[in-house]
Amino acid sequence: MLSRLVCLRQLSALKKTVSPTLYHTLSGTKIAKSIREQANSEIQSIRKNFPDFEPKLKILQIGAKPDSSTYVRMKLKASTESGIACDVEKMPDTITEVELLNKIEQINDDDSIHGLLIQLPLPKNLDEARITNAVSYKKDVDGFHRYNAGELAKRNGSPFFIPCTPNGCIKLLQEAKIDLNGKNAVVIGRSDIVGTPVSNLLKNMNATVTMCHSRTKNIPEILSTADVVIAACGMPQYVKGEWLKEGAVVIDVGINYIPDNTKKSGVKLVGDVDFESAKNKCSYITPVPGGVGPMTVAMLVQNVLSAAKRQLTESDNMPKIAPLPLHLKQPVPSDIEISRSQQPKPVLEIAEELGIHNHELELFGHYKAKVSLSILNRLQDRENGKYVLVAGITPTPLGEGKSTTTLGLVQALSAHLNKPSIANVRQPSMGPTFGVKGGAAGGGYSQVIPMDEFNLHLTGDIHAIGAANNLLAAAIDTRIFHEKTQKKTSTFYSRLVPKKKGKRTFTKSMLNRLKKLGINKPNPDELTEEEIEKFARLNIDPETITIKRVVDVNDRMLRQITIGQAPTEKGQTRSTGFDITVASELMAILALSNDLKDMRGRIGRIVVAANYDGEPVTVEDIGCAGALTALLKDAIKPNLMQSLEGTPVMVHAGPFANISIGASSVIADKIALKLVGKSKKSHVQNQEGGFVVTEAGFDFTMGGERFFNIKCRASGLTPDAVVLVATVRALKLHGGAPDVKPGQTLPLAYTEENVDLVAKGVANLCKQISNARQFGVPVVVAINKFETDTEAEIEVIRKAAKEAGAFDAVATNHWEKGGAGAIDLANAVVKVTNEPSDFKFLYDVQQSTENKLATIVKKMYGGADIDILPEAQKKIDMYNKQGFGNLPICIAKTQYSLSHDASLKGVPTGFTFPIRDVRASIGAGYLYALAAEIQTIPGLSTYAGYMNVEIDDNGEIEGLF
């Protein structure tokens, strides 16, 4: 019995000297391989639905340190095995910080690259913190950016990426099924790369964490109670086995080389833990090599894949517009007062909400910016959002509020119905702004802000048009001057195509002219005398010049001028004049171009005159198409602003509404439609696209008809619905009420209820509904309600509109209440855009010019016939001969009647429509016929708008509307 007791005691003592369990090696190599294989499998799976899905890592290696090259090769190999594209770019260690930062910015802006890694350490001449923080936090797969580090340090933070080595450490613990909840964890080392982030990760997993460093005392004592040890101090074999608690889990992050004569290299790789003394104390321990190292690379692979998946998901996200609150006042203050009372969002915030990247934005101050056309390439796989055109009935001279309705509708859609929407409007000319009409920012609580910046200069697009137009005008007169004063063609040719460094070369425009003439000789010295004469002499007939100089001011004294009176011009005088800048054909081209190449081609095709043989002379012939396009290279980019409720607005182009399309640009529409459109490959079920709401100048018979027949032909886009703006005031005028004149008190018929007048006037609305429906697009009527309008008058309009075929007719009060006053209209628009449409043009462009004119007059205006005056017919015949007969038609007429006669209200019929003249905008791509002479540079009234404008000592503009 005694001997048995002794044996038991001896066995017990023996057990106390032996580790309770054998240690397990945590092999990072095995786990990392599994992670890489899983990543590859996931990539292949995603590609089944998204064939273009290609995660990509970019590594910048500065200098050629051997250890850095080794790490880069490991990362390249691991990425490739995982199905991740990896591009390593090596740079000299002499690279400057500015050069490296520029390179990082380029990569940040490249959507094809999902992860960017700067291989550390960097040469001493580079600020490591500045460089690593220059990497976009959304591409910072190392997790070193201050945003990611800060979010990791926060309780319940949301970093985009976790640093790879710390994440690898945690992954090893998870693979071993180590429950960290309540465990004592000790981290040796406080580096920003490992020690600090791994401590944060352990705390987030509810471990009690102690961080030790070079100043910590009694480290062995601290380690003796540690359940988990993370060693990352960079000291070879620092941690001894006798310091450790029985059964501790040890993660050795260290990578150190110590002398070893048995190795061919003379060195041996060891960790920060003395493996041999520690292994018998541990339940789990990582080897070096083969532990944390492979996991670091595997976590990098996982981060790149996560970045690519995040980008794929974000491509499905619809814009989320954060609205600004309105603080409504009664009575409604002036437009400028309302605008100034609202603090706009920074335009960077508007862009971010729309998903516009920083490199796609060019800031002009805090609240406006230009949007790069490159965004269309990035968004080419998006569907278009819903496309809504706002037009109107035949207006009074006071206007019926199309711009205000456009803004109010978008504010309602975005700020109140959570439907991402963009308003696309024209840039106003400063001529009307300082004249009688005023600006075009909308009005009341539905306007573009800041409205003073919107109405004055904006980003200089109109000035760029003016500079380009006037360069063209100067080039034309100069060419005539030189041809007439240089009689000898050979001398003129030598000056036209001069030798530079002993060699002559043709410009791009010259080569295009040679091609037009059928001369296939790119060498200037090979042309015959006959070919030189044909090429060099344009022989412009001054009487046929159609290009005038322009100015963005209502300066009536410039309507007709005489130029060339200086003695230096040698008697080359002629009569000409000025147009307002927005009447320039270049403005129409800006509005109708699809991209920069299209604009260059259109500018080259502008016909500026005819030669003495009646042949057209173009801008390409003059030789300045490239220069004009260069002046407009920034103007072609749409401008981004916002409404009073912080909803996005695109402002671009401002073509003269009488002789042109009177609508904002094709490019702005295309960009906006993609921004609010859903992905064609979206995996989000039942996702709905957003809305783009744009407007057309004047009433539907003018702006709407041109929008469909000219702008839609240029863009290839067709609206999903038309919103027709009507007012009780305008319908009373068409019903027989007295004339309305700006600046004069409204007659009582307009401010008192008169249902009979409205009932008579609705015929005009019904005709406009019919006009719109001829294009196969559904119509909603927006009844822009004024304070004096009564419910009985509104009901007459609503009933007549529906009987005429409108989908709905809704009263709105957005001028007084902002988006809240247009919610019913917005709901109607949402519904109508889901209705089927069958778009068709009003006429075939291959029809004769005469037939196209007659079709517009009969189907849109209600006329019986057209009367083409002899001079106009002569022009038509000339354009047919020149090959321009197959262009769409724009008819310039009064906006105050469906007919050519402003006094004919309501729905006149049976009239003969006169065509007094026909002119050509070949670059823009249409002919325009004139029913009466149109003033293309308005005049100023006795009491003009500029008289109200002042600026205070702080630079605040006052007196704008």
Side-chain angles (χ1 to χ4, degrees):
M1 187 74 177
L2 181 61
S3 62
R4 184 181 178 189
L5 183 60
V6 170
C7 288
L8 288 171
R9 286 175 177 173
Q10 289 174 339
L11 182 61
S12 176
L14 182 63
K15 285 182 177 179
K16 288 181 180 179
T17 63
V18 180
S19 178
T21 57
L22 294 174
Y23 77 91
H24 297 278
T25 302
L26 283 175
S27 173
T29 302
K30 183 179 178 181
I31 299 170
K33 182 181 179 183
S34 173
I35 291 171
R36 293 196 304 272
E37 289 175 348
Q38 184 179 348
N40 200 327
S41 175
E42 188 173 0
I43 290 169
Q44 299 309 318
S45 177
I46 293 173
R47 281 179 179 161
K48 291 178 182 178
N49 295 319
F50 303 93
D52 296 331
F53 181 69
E54 185 178 6
K56 186 173 182 180
L57 170 65
K58 179 84 171 185
I59 299 176
L60 296 183
Q61 181 183 353
I62 292 82
K65 291 183 65 176
D67 53 348
S68 289
S69 296
T70 300
Y71 296 143
V72 166
R73 282 196 299 271
M74 290 169 54
K75 293 166 183 175
L76 178 60
K77 183 174 182 291
S79 297
T80 304
E81 290 175 353
S82 306
I84 289 174
C86 183
D87 177 28
V88 178
E89 186 169 348
K90 297 183 179 181
M91 298 176 163
D93 55 12
T94 56
I95 190 171
T96 65
E97 197 166 276
V98 171
E99 289 173 314
L100 182 53
L101 289 171
N102 286 338
K103 184 65 180 179
I104 291 170
E105 185 176 358
Q106 290 174 17
I107 298 169
N108 286 340
D109 292 343
D110 188 343
D111 285 340
S112 70
I113 297 173
H114 304 98
L116 171 57
L117 185 153
I118 312 294
Q119 183 61 42
L120 302 179
L122 293 173
K124 292 182 179 179
N125 63 307
L126 300 174
D127 184 334
E128 195 167 285
R130 187 178 182 194
I131 297 301
T132 53
N133 281 302
V135 176
S136 166
Y137 63 90
K138 292 186 176 183
K139 296 189 178 186
D140 169 41
V141 287
D142 258 337
F144 295 162
H145 191 281
R146 61 171 63 96
Y147 174 87
N148 289 317
E151 285 296 308
L152 181 62
K154 287 165 56 178
R155 181 177 173 83
N156 299 321
S158 299
F160 276 79
F161 303 101
I162 298 172
C164 300
T165 300
N167 201 14
C169 294
I170 298 300
K171 187 71 174 178
L172 284 166
L173 293 171
Q174 290 172 335
E175 287 292 325
K177 295 183 170 55
I178 306 298
D179 182 9
L180 293 168
N181 193 40
K183 294 292 193 300
N184 288 328
V186 174
V187 178
I188 305 175
R190 55 179 174 179
S191 73
D192 293 334
I193 294 175
V194 180
T196 299
V198 82
S199 297
N200 291 325
L201 287 169
L202 290 165
K203 283 188 290 185
N204 290 338
M205 300 180 77
N206 297 320
T208 301
V209 182
T210 303
M211 182 181 286
C212 298
H213 47 80
S214 60
R215 303 296 176 89
T216 304
K217 297 178 180 179
N218 301 322
I219 290 179
E221 184 179 334
I222 295 170
L223 288 177
S224 67
T225 62
D227 300 305
V228 176
V229 177
I230 310 287
C233 58
M235 300 170 66
Q237 300 177 327
Y238 173 72
V239 178
K240 309 303 179 185
E242 56 265 29
W243 298 357
L244 300 173
K245 177 183 177 181
E246 292 281 355
V249 177
V250 176
I251 306 295
D252 190 350
V253 182
I255 298 178
N256 310 286
Y257 290 93
I258 61 174
D260 187 342
N261 294 331
T262 66
K263 301 288 185 182
K264 185 178 179 180
S265 64
V267 294
K268 176 184 177 182
L269 181 61
V270 298
D272 292 350
V273 178
D274 181 11
F275 187 85
E276 290 302 318
S277 67
K279 66 183 182 181
N280 291 325
K281 273 287 198 73
C282 301
S283 57
Y284 291 92
I285 187 169
T286 58
V288 177
V292 174
M295 292 300 296
T296 297
V297 180
M299 292 300 100
L300 173 63
V301 165
Q302 201 168 72
N303 278 351
V304 177
L305 178 55
S306 295
K309 286 162 59 180
R310 184 183 296 115
Q311 187 189 87
L312 184 64
T313 301
E314 287 178 352
S315 69
D316 280 349
N317 293 342
M318 294 300 297
K320 296 186 184 299
I321 312 300
L324 295 173
L326 289 181
H327 303 287
L328 305 175
K329 292 183 178 180
Q330 288 292 339
V332 176
S334 68
D335 291 351
I336 187 69
E337 191 177 340
I338 292 171
S339 174
R340 189 160 294 141
S341 68
Q342 182 68 290
Q343 177 60 50
K345 293 187 285 189
V347 72
L348 275 170
E349 188 175 326
I350 298 287
E352 185 176 0
E353 290 174 347
L354 285 173
I356 300 173
H357 296 176
N358 284 351
H359 71 277
E360 295 166 336
L361 209 65
E362 298 173 16
L363 298 180
F364 280 74
H366 300 296
Y367 308 120
K368 55 185 186 289
K370 282 195 164 290
V371 180
S372 170
L373 273 59
S374 65
I375 197 171
L376 285 171
N377 294 326
R378 179 170 68 83
L379 301 179
Q380 60 184 333
D381 289 332
R382 291 262 191 99
E383 294 180 0
N384 286 336
K386 299 290 188 180
Y387 195 25
V388 179
L389 172 66
V390 175
I393 64 169
T394 308
T396 69
L398 303 178
E400 311 316 308
K402 288 193 306 298
S403 298
T404 308
T405 300
T406 299
L407 270 298
L409 173 55
V410 168
Q411 288 176 191
L413 286 166
S414 287
H416 299 271
L417 299 186
N418 296 316
K419 307 282 186 184
S421 304
I422 302 174
N424 279 10
V425 298
R426 285 184 296 167
Q427 178 182 351
S429 165
M430 286 193 295
T433 295
F434 288 126
V436 175
K437 181 179 181 295
Y445 286 102
S446 295
Q447 56 171 301
V448 184
I449 58 171
M451 65 90 75
D452 51 346
E453 294 185 26
F454 174 84
N455 284 303
L456 305 178
H457 300 295
L458 196 58
T459 57
D461 292 350
I462 291 180
H463 301 314
I465 293 287
N469 185 98
N470 292 342
L471 171 60
L472 173 58
I476 295 167
D477 287 313
T478 299
R479 184 60 174 263
I480 294 173
F481 173 83
H482 287 306
E483 285 192 28
K484 288 191 174 181
T485 56
Q486 297 180 54
K487 303 298 183 183
K488 194 173 182 180
T489 298
S490 59
T491 303
F492 178 61
Y493 180 66
S494 296
R495 292 175 177 173
L496 185 65
V497 192
K499 285 186 178 181
K500 295 180 180 179
K501 296 182 180 180
K503 185 179 179 181
R504 294 184 188 189
T505 56
F506 287 126
T507 66
K508 180 179 178 180
S509 283
M510 289 175 178
L511 290 170
N512 287 338
R513 173 161 172 77
L514 287 166
K515 183 178 179 181
K516 170 183 172 181
L517 296 172
I519 302 172
N520 187 23
K521 293 182 179 179
N523 185 346
D525 295 324
E526 293 181 357
L527 268 64
T528 65
E529 288 186 8
E530 182 182 354
E531 288 170 338
I532 288 173
E533 177 76 24
K534 190 176 180 182
F535 164 78
R537 297 288 184 181
L538 299 182
N539 294 320
I540 294 172
D541 180 356
E543 295 298 319
T544 67
I545 294 174
T546 57
I547 301 298
K548 295 181 178 180
R549 286 158 177 83
V550 298
V551 63
D552 196 30
V553 176
N554 287 2
D555 192 348
R556 65 188 303 139
M557 295 302 170
L558 295 177
R559 287 172 177 167
Q560 187 168 337
I561 61 171
T562 301
I563 61 172
Q565 292 186 320
T568 53
E569 306 320 302
K570 301 179 181 180
Q572 304 297 324
T573 62
R574 71 180 182 91
S575 178
T576 181
F578 273 73
D579 288 335
I580 196 163
T581 306
V582 292
S584 168
E585 185 175 350
L586 289 172
M587 180 59 87
I589 288 173
L590 181 69
L592 291 169
S593 295
N594 285 278
D595 51 38
L596 192 63
K597 181 180 179 181
D598 184 28
M599 184 169 74
R600 168 64 176 79
R602 287 173 178 270
I603 289 174
R605 292 193 295 273
I606 295 175
V607 174
V608 300
N611 63 20
Y612 286 103
D613 293 327
E615 299 166 333
V617 178
T618 66
V619 170
E620 203 76 84
D621 294 325
I622 296 293
C624 61
L628 303 190
T629 308
L631 285 170
L632 301 178
K633 73 176 183 67
D634 292 321
I636 198 173
K637 302 167 189 173
N639 305 291
L640 181 64
M641 295 187 74
Q642 64 191 284
S643 72
L644 272 167
E645 296 190 55
T647 64
V649 178
M650 279 198 176
V651 187
H652 201 214
F656 201 74
N658 284 102
I659 62 169
S660 185
I661 62 168
S664 62
S665 78
V666 165
I667 287 173
D669 288 356
K670 287 191 168 184
I671 290 176
L673 286 165
K674 293 298 183 186
L675 286 171
V676 299
K678 62 182 181 178
S679 171
K680 292 178 182 177
K681 303 171 184 176
S682 175
H683 57 268
V684 179
Q685 295 295 320
N686 302 318
Q687 188 179 58
E688 293 183 357
F691 294 79
V692 174
V693 182
T694 189
E695 63 172 306
F698 297 147
D699 70 340
F700 187 87
T701 61
M702 295 180 72
E705 181 269 319
R706 297 169 193 173
F707 185 96
F708 283 118
N709 283 317
I710 299 176
K711 185 178 178 181
C712 289
R713 277 191 166 97
S715 68
L717 303 170
T718 55
D720 296 283
V722 171
V723 173
L724 274 178
V725 180
T727 60
V728 168
R729 178 178 67 196
L731 294 177
K732 284 182 175 179
L733 176 65
H734 291 297
D739 282 347
V740 173
K741 295 182 180 179
Q744 295 185 9
T745 303
L746 282 173
L748 288 178
Y750 294 98
T751 57
E752 295 179 349
E753 182 177 276
N754 193 320
V755 175
D756 288 341
L757 282 177
V758 176
K760 292 176 183 176
V762 290
N764 184 275
L765 169 62
C766 295
K767 171 58 177 168
Q768 299 286 19
I769 293 170
S770 171
N771 286 344
R773 285 178 56 81
Q774 287 188 66
F775 292 92
V777 179
V779 176
V780 167
V781 173
I783 307 168
N784 189 13
K785 190 174 182 297
F786 296 165
E787 186 179 14
T788 56
D789 298 341
T790 67
E791 186 54 40
E793 292 170 327
I794 298 293
E795 185 56 34
V796 169
I797 300 172
R798 186 182 292 118
K799 181 180 178 183
K802 288 187 175 183
E803 289 176 353
F807 175 82
D808 203 352
V810 182
T812 66
N813 193 16
H814 43 275
W815 180 81
E816 186 178 9
K817 296 183 178 179
I823 291 175
D824 290 344
L825 174 62
N827 280 320
V829 166
V830 171
K831 291 177 183 177
V832 77
T833 54
N834 291 318
E835 290 291 302
S837 62
D838 181 26
F839 178 80
K840 48 187 173 292
F841 292 114
L842 191 67
Y843 53 77
D844 185 337
V845 290
Q846 300 304 323
Q847 293 175 354
S848 69
T849 300
E850 292 88 346
N851 283 346
K852 286 179 282 196
L853 286 167
T855 298
I856 295 171
V857 167
K858 292 176 181 178
K859 291 188 175 182
M860 287 287 107
Y861 308 161
D865 206 350
I866 57 172
D867 178 22
I868 302 177
L869 301 188
E871 184 61 29
Q873 187 64 57
K874 183 179 177 182
K875 291 275 194 74
I876 292 172
D877 295 340
M878 179 182 71
Y879 297 140
N880 287 336
K881 183 179 178 181
Q882 293 173 342
F884 305 136
N886 62 343
L887 294 176
I889 300 289
C890 168
I891 299 180
K893 71 175 190 71
T894 178
Q895 66 267 37
Y896 298 125
S897 171
L898 286 167
S899 73
H900 60 286
D901 184 348
S903 66
L904 298 178
K905 304 302 181 184
V907 185
T909 58
F911 56 88
T912 298
F913 192 92
I915 304 296
R916 302 180 185 279
D917 193 8
V918 179
R919 298 173 188 173
S921 292
I922 304 305
Y926 58 82
L927 303 178
Y928 65 97
L930 286 79
E933 186 61 36
I934 302 294
Q935 293 292 354
T936 51
I937 183 166
L940 293 167
S941 60
T942 304
Y943 186 81
Y946 66 80
M947 294 180 175
N948 294 313
V949 179
E950 270 297 346
I951 188 164
D952 67 19
D953 295 340
N954 297 316
E956 296 287 350
I957 295 173
E958 301 170 347
L960 278 175
F961 332 117

